[in-house]
Amino acid sequence: MKNPPFDLIVLGAGSGGLAAAKRASSYGAKVAIIEGDRVGGTCVIRGCVPKKLLLYGSLYNEHIKNASSFGVEFKDACIDSSQLLKNVRSEVDRLNSLHIDLLEKSGVTLFNGWGKLADSHVVLVREKGNVDKITELYGERILIATGGYPNRPLIPGSELGWLSDDIFLLNELPENVVIFGAGFIACEFSCILNGLGVKVKQFIRGKTILKGFDKELSNLLVEYMQENGIELNFGQYPVSISGNPGDLKVHTNSVEIKNCGGVLFATGRKPLINDLGLSSAGIDIDLDKVIVDENQVTNIPNIYAVGDVTNRINLTPVAVDEGRAFADTVFGKKTRQVNYNFVPSAVFSHPEIAAVGLTEEKAIALYGEVNLRSYRAKFRSMANALPKRGAPCLLKLITERKSQKILGCHMVGDHSAEIIQMAAIALQMGATKLDFDRTMALHPTIAEEFVTMI
């Protein structure tokens, strides 16, 4: 079955694909978008959004424990994690429907199925739920925005473990879990599940968590996770899993864990490029990622790629901006490239970690330790003053000694992500330590420490 030609065909209705499709359509382009899963992508359906909703729920146990310090008494208060999971899925359903509605209002045609390139202009869509039905689409331009997928290790019994997607589909949580991984997803789920009353053992192949974040911050998170009852095991990796769901036996390279309620593999993600027909279109790939230039163009001039499929900075806002920059340039005739400097990032652990700019380790490698000066403030926030317990706060600035330019801004503590988002504006504008010093503090707040450090 053939269709009239489209100005743009987008493969993947995640953050980057949706942003590009709607922006291109706003310029008058005739746009098709293809999605074989749910519209919204990883972030909305099985990533950032549901994960953060679970995090909010997991914090209530601590609020309940601290309540008496503020003269509030709860009797028999507890978290029903089954209801929480159900409510999160309901919100995801709402957002999925919202994104479908927004596509329709934007004039973008949605095809529910799996797209595969037949050549540099033709995409074959295998209809979802009816694999025998193939729709042929022709596009003047094609955008690959299929994102990534979680990695499952190649060990015996790995199919018995969960990937991050699976957590959101659970009807109830087990009493205990084993988590493998050291990155965002592993640390976030360790803290979330621990907060919901699950006993957590986390196994880390290397010696540290959160590669790419400032070590002083990640070390502080390690301390608090351990104080909060999370068992962290370094230098260990999965070897095999056996048993039945809910009663698993896990072997690492050095220990055996029996009667395990569940195993989560948070061992990285890969670009989703399998079965896209990239070779049919002549598209170059490198180490399982699509190669693009600064304008998101592949080696085939009419084919582009954005987001995690290019495996550059795999964050939702980056994919969104890449998609919009592509549409602005190609269809809006407003040449624009994405600015990858000072991209803020956060780990929604407990406590949160957020950062923008260079870590101290990276700054030393680039500038030399003698040319740098670091400032820090470590304290207990006012929210924890009466309970006399809770996560610490650490705020840190990395500066170039001679110019006083701020190279990195880092934080551990409540509302880190919200605060660092504002700090990212200052760093993007080239702020110096003197600029921070001249800014009046807002008291009493956590963020004021950034402008009072000496």
Side-chain angles (χ1 to χ4, degrees):
M1 175 181 176
K2 290 188 177 182
N3 283 266
F6 288 90
D7 299 310
L8 173 66
I9 298 174
V10 180
L11 295 172
S15 299
L18 289 170
K22 290 184 289 186
R23 182 63 63 90
S25 183
S26 74
Y27 291 124
K30 183 179 180 183
V31 182
I33 192 166
I34 304 167
E35 179 55 64
D37 203 329
R38 304 184 74 186
V39 174
T42 295
C43 182
V44 173
I45 304 300
R46 51 192 171 271
C48 333
V49 172
K51 175 188 66 184
K52 196 168 183 184
L53 292 174
L54 285 181
L55 173 67
Y56 285 139
S58 73
L59 297 177
Y60 274 89
N61 266 329
E62 184 164 298
H63 297 329
I64 291 168
K65 290 177 184 178
N66 292 343
S68 61
S69 299
F70 297 94
V72 180
E73 294 296 338
F74 289 102
K75 291 185 178 180
D76 303 321
C78 64
I79 296 177
D80 183 345
S81 57
S82 297
Q83 187 62 48
L84 172 60
L85 287 162
K86 181 179 178 181
N87 292 347
V88 168
R89 287 193 291 271
S90 178
E91 175 63 8
V92 167
D93 290 343
R94 185 188 72 82
L95 293 172
N96 170 236
S97 297
L98 176 63
H99 281 293
I100 293 173
D101 290 343
L102 290 173
L103 282 177
E104 185 176 352
K105 291 176 181 177
S106 299
V108 176
T109 303
L110 172 63
F111 288 86
N112 294 119
W114 303 102
K116 186 172 185 178
L117 293 163
D119 59 36
S120 60
H121 286 283
V122 176
V123 178
L124 304 178
V125 183
R126 189 175 77 251
E127 186 174 301
K128 183 178 181 180
N130 184 4
V131 295
D132 294 326
K133 183 178 180 181
I134 305 294
T135 301
E136 183 178 299
L137 305 179
Y138 180 91
E140 288 296 325
R141 292 180 175 84
I142 294 171
L143 176 68
I144 301 168
T146 47
Y149 67 97
N151 179 54
R152 188 184 294 274
L154 298 176
I155 61 170
S158 65
E159 70 279 0
L160 295 170
W162 299 318
L163 300 175
S164 55
D165 301 3
D166 301 319
I167 296 294
F168 306 113
L169 302 178
L170 297 176
N171 291 318
E172 59 182 8
L173 298 176
E175 292 183 2
N176 60 79
V177 298
V178 165
I179 296 178
F180 288 103
F184 286 68
I185 296 171
C187 293
E188 288 171 339
F189 274 116
S190 283
C191 293
I192 289 169
L193 295 175
N194 178 70
L196 293 173
V198 179
K199 185 173 178 58
V200 177
K201 296 178 186 286
Q202 183 176 345
F203 291 87
I204 298 119
R205 181 181 291 267
K207 297 179 180 180
T208 60
I209 62 171
L210 299 176
K211 180 182 178 181
F213 277 82
D214 191 279
K215 287 184 180 178
E216 187 174 5
L217 276 72
S218 59
N219 288 342
L220 185 60
L221 179 60
V222 165
E223 292 176 17
Y224 187 72
M225 289 172 71
Q226 291 173 327
E227 287 177 10
N228 226 25
I230 298 172
E231 182 183 317
L232 298 178
N233 303 273
F234 293 92
Q236 296 194 46
Y237 52 87
V239 173
S240 68
I241 303 176
S242 59
N244 299 301
D247 184 18
L248 300 173
K249 182 186 293 184
V250 181
H251 283 93
T252 76
N253 53 306
S254 61
V255 300
E256 176 185 277
I257 306 100
K258 297 179 179 179
N259 309 122
C260 179
V263 177
L264 170 62
F265 293 117
T267 49
R269 296 176 63 84
K270 295 180 179 179
L272 183 56
I273 60 173
N274 298 329
D275 300 322
L276 289 183
L278 300 185
S279 59
S280 298
I283 298 171
D284 288 341
I285 62 173
D286 177 35
L287 298 176
D288 296 327
K289 67 181 180 182
V290 179
I291 303 170
V292 294
D293 65 13
E294 63 276 7
N295 294 310
Q296 323 306 329
V297 188
T298 69
N299 62 300
I300 306 301
N302 71 298
I303 300 181
Y304 306 75
V306 300
D308 291 9
V309 75
T310 66
N311 201 25
R312 290 172 294 179
I313 300 179
N314 297 336
L315 295 171
T316 297
V318 174
V320 169
D321 199 45
E322 287 174 348
R324 289 174 178 167
F326 151 76
D328 289 341
T329 300
V330 174
F331 296 102
K333 308 304 179 185
K334 305 172 184 177
T335 302
R336 181 169 77 84
Q337 295 179 346
V338 176
N339 183 354
Y340 296 102
N341 296 320
F342 298 110
V343 175
S345 57
V347 182
F348 292 105
S349 50
H350 182 51
E352 286 181 11
I353 289 183
V356 61
L358 299 179
T359 64
E360 187 165 14
E361 294 75 30
K362 185 66 173 178
I364 289 173
L366 292 174
Y367 289 84
E369 190 169 5
V370 69
N371 297 313
L372 302 172
R373 183 174 177 185
S374 297
Y375 301 82
R376 56 182 51 75
K378 185 178 179 181
F379 55 95
R380 175 182 285 163
S381 72
M382 281 190 69
N384 294 321
L386 297 185
K388 295 181 172 55
R389 58 183 300 278
C393 290
L394 172 64
L395 284 67
K396 183 173 180 180
L397 293 174
I398 314 297
T399 69
E400 198 273 320
R401 188 178 292 274
K402 185 176 181 180
S403 68
Q404 295 192 59
K405 182 178 180 179
I406 299 175
L407 305 174
C409 184
H410 308 269
M411 181 176 169
V412 177
D414 294 342
H415 314 301
S416 294
E418 306 288 352
I419 293 169
I420 290 297
Q421 174 66 86
M422 292 295 98
I425 299 173
L427 268 65
Q428 184 66 60
M429 296 176 68
T432 66
K433 180 63 168 61
L434 183 59
D435 292 323
F436 272 44
D437 293 342
R438 288 188 296 211
T439 301
M440 190 65 69
L442 176 59
H443 182 75
T445 62
I446 295 173
E448 71 176 300
E449 297 293 332
F450 275 126
V451 299
T452 59
M453 292 181 183
I454 57 174

